[in-house]
Amino acid sequence: VRKGLALLLEPEGIEVCAEAHSYAKALACAEEHKPDLVLVDLSLGNENGLPLITELSRRAVPSLVYSMHEDGHSVQSAFAAGALGYVTKCELHEVLITAISEVAASRRFISPRAALGLAEEVAGGTGLPARGELSNQEREVYRLLGAGEATRAIAAAMNISPHTVETYYTRLREKLDVETMAELRRHANQSLRKHST
C-alpha cells in the first residue's frame, strides 16, 4: 500500500521522503527527514495510529489521516489526537492530493465521506454499541458483520486473516455480552438498520 501511494503521489510533485510501518520507525523518520506532513493510517500493523498522531502534534509535525475507517468516532478521535486532516481510502485520489496540499499549508481538511461519518455521529450516534469501548478494528468488523458480510469477505475487506476476524468476533461477544455468533450477527444487523433509518 505504501509503495502504491508513493507511485500515486510522486507524479503530482509530492516527494515521499520516508516510509514507516510502526510508531517507533515513523518517529525516527520524522526526526531525520523533517517532513512537511506525515500521512498516518489508524492501523499500524498491530499498533494504533492515534498515539503517533499525538506525538507528532507535540513535535509540531502536521499529520493527515488516511484510513479505511469512515465512522464518526474514528474521525473525532483522530482530530482529538491532533490530526489536521482526515481522508478515507474510498475517496478519489484527487481528494487525497488536495488534502495533502491543505494540511501541508497548516489548514484543516476533512474528506466528504469522513465528514458524513462525523455528521452522523454528531446527529445521533453511529449506531454502534455503547457497552464496552471498541477498537477501530472491532467497530469495522461489527459494521461489516451487520451488513451481512461473511468472515472471508470481512477478512479481505480489512486485509486481515479469517482467523483474526474470528478473534474479533470473540472480543465483540464478550464486550456486548452475547453468547452466540447468531446473536452477534443479529445485534450488528439491528444496529446497522437503526443507524440507516
Side-chain angles (χ1 to χ4, degrees):
V1 173
R2 295 196 304 271
K3 295 294 184 185
L5 275 174
L7 291 173
L8 176 71
L9 298 177
E10 287 172 353
E12 302 288 341
I14 299 170
E15 179 187 355
V16 178
C17 62
E19 300 173 20
H21 64 279
S22 68
Y23 174 92
K25 178 67 173 175
L27 288 184
C29 288
E31 183 68 25
E32 178 182 356
H33 297 281
K34 304 293 190 294
D36 294 316
L37 70 84
V38 177
L39 198 61
V40 180
D41 196 329
L42 292 182
S43 301
L44 299 174
N46 293 323
E47 299 177 335
N48 188 318
L50 292 175
L52 173 60
I53 294 169
T54 299
E55 181 59 25
L56 289 171
S57 179
R58 192 185 70 80
R59 300 184 183 196
V61 179
S63 61
L64 168 62
V65 172
Y66 186 55
S67 173
M68 69 178 183
H69 300 293
E70 301 180 357
D71 62 282
H73 177 76
S74 295
V75 179
Q76 277 187 325
S77 297
F79 281 117
L84 272 184
Y86 197 110
V87 177
T88 74
K89 291 182 178 179
C90 293
E91 310 281 2
L92 296 174
H93 81 276
E94 289 87 355
V95 176
L96 177 60
I97 302 302
T98 300
I100 289 172
S101 176
E102 291 294 297
V103 172
S106 299
R107 292 189 290 265
R108 288 193 178 277
F109 185 93
I110 183 168
S111 71
R113 295 178 71 103
L116 178 61
L118 188 58
E120 290 175 342
E121 173 88 3
V122 172
T126 61
L128 293 176
R131 183 185 299 179
E133 191 65 31
L134 302 187
S135 70
N136 289 329
Q137 294 287 78
E138 288 166 349
R139 292 168 70 88
E140 185 66 7
V141 168
Y142 183 84
R143 186 185 70 79
L144 292 170
L145 188 66
E149 298 291 352
T151 299
R152 289 190 177 278
I154 295 173
M158 297 181 64
N159 196 29
I160 57 180
S161 72
H163 177 72
T164 301
V165 173
E166 290 170 357
T167 299
Y168 284 125
Y169 290 161
T170 300
R171 293 179 189 170
L172 285 166
R173 290 202 304 273
E174 290 174 353
K175 291 184 177 183
L176 300 174
D177 194 25
V178 297
E179 294 185 2
T180 68
M181 271 304 301
E183 287 181 87
L184 178 61
R185 188 177 291 278
R186 184 167 57 253
H187 192 291
N189 181 257
Q190 289 173 347
S191 179
L192 187 66
R193 282 190 287 131
K194 178 181 178 183
H195 175 49
S196 299
T197 56

